[in-house]
Amino acid sequence: MNPRATHEQAQDAAVRTLVESAENEVAAGELDAAIERLNHAPADALDAGTFRAFLERQRGHFEASERTLTHLLERHVDEPQLLLQRAYTRWMAGDLAAAAADFATIESRSNADAEPLRIRARADADGLRSQRLDLDPVARQLTMLTTIEWGSVLLLAGAVWLGWRATRAGR
């Protein structure tokens, strides 16, 4: 028997055990414990890493989730599901341009097996474009409000300075 194959089988079994334990912790409402457990899986373990990234995203730890998925993508470049998960993470984190880029990458893949993912990515990208169009006026309003606020601060600072100067001149 090949020692390398035996080692890989043992590692796969250990990862499956970690994932199952993490699933039980999630069922018990212990997301942080599940994430911690999955941190003990090998860095390139696809199932454990994907599950950990999902849980990190659910906890609002978007940077950690993106780091996990990016690391997995370096080792598993032919896994469009990882790219889709990273797009969702970026979208939820508010990085709409990066999410759109990931969706576009998925859409451009020519693998026939990835067709359902391509269709899903295209629909999500359309939704993202719609969301961005809806948010652009809000962003412009926020910029305008910020400009008005700073203008008010400058006017107030000028009035205080003029008042101080007049007080000093009256002495």
Side-chain angles (χ1 to χ4, degrees):
M1 183 169 235
N2 183 348
R4 181 181 168 106
T6 304
H7 174 71
E8 288 175 2
Q9 289 172 344
Q11 189 175 22
D12 289 346
V15 169
R16 276 193 302 277
T17 301
L18 279 173
V19 170
E20 289 170 5
S21 296
E23 287 171 346
N24 291 334
E25 288 170 331
V26 168
E30 299 292 331
L31 266 61
D32 291 329
I35 291 168
E36 181 60 33
R37 180 172 304 281
L38 292 168
N39 282 336
H40 296 290
D44 61 343
L46 185 60
D47 291 341
T50 304
F51 191 32
R52 184 176 74 228
F54 170 77
L55 294 176
E56 289 167 338
R57 185 174 66 229
Q58 295 306 104
R59 294 295 287 161
H61 303 158
F62 302 119
E63 290 177 6
S65 179
E66 184 174 347
R67 250 190 331 271
T68 299
L69 291 164
T70 299
H71 179 76
L72 287 170
L73 277 163
E74 290 170 359
R75 299 189 184 280
H76 303 279
V77 293
D78 295 330
E79 290 289 338
Q81 185 66 34
L82 292 173
L83 198 55
L84 184 65
Q85 292 304 317
R86 188 174 72 179
Y88 289 145
T89 297
R90 288 174 164 180
W91 189 348
M92 292 176 75
D95 192 349
L96 304 183
D102 282 348
F103 286 133
T105 300
I106 295 167
E107 283 187 80
S108 69
R109 297 229 167 135
S110 60
N111 185 347
D113 294 336
E115 186 60 27
L117 237 52
R118 249 197 320 272
I119 292 168
R120 187 172 169 189
R122 188 174 306 121
D124 289 337
D126 290 344
L128 180 59
R129 279 189 283 280
S130 171
Q131 183 179 15
R132 288 179 76 180
L133 290 175
D134 291 344
L135 291 176
D136 280 345
V138 173
R140 280 194 298 278
Q141 290 297 325
L142 285 174
T143 301
M144 189 169 78
L145 183 59
T146 301
T147 303
I148 291 170
E149 289 170 347
W150 275 109
S152 299
V153 167
L154 289 175
L155 286 174
L156 183 60
V160 168
W161 182 76
L162 287 174
W164 177 78
R165 189 170 170 206
T167 304
R168 301 277 296 163
R171 286 187 185 183

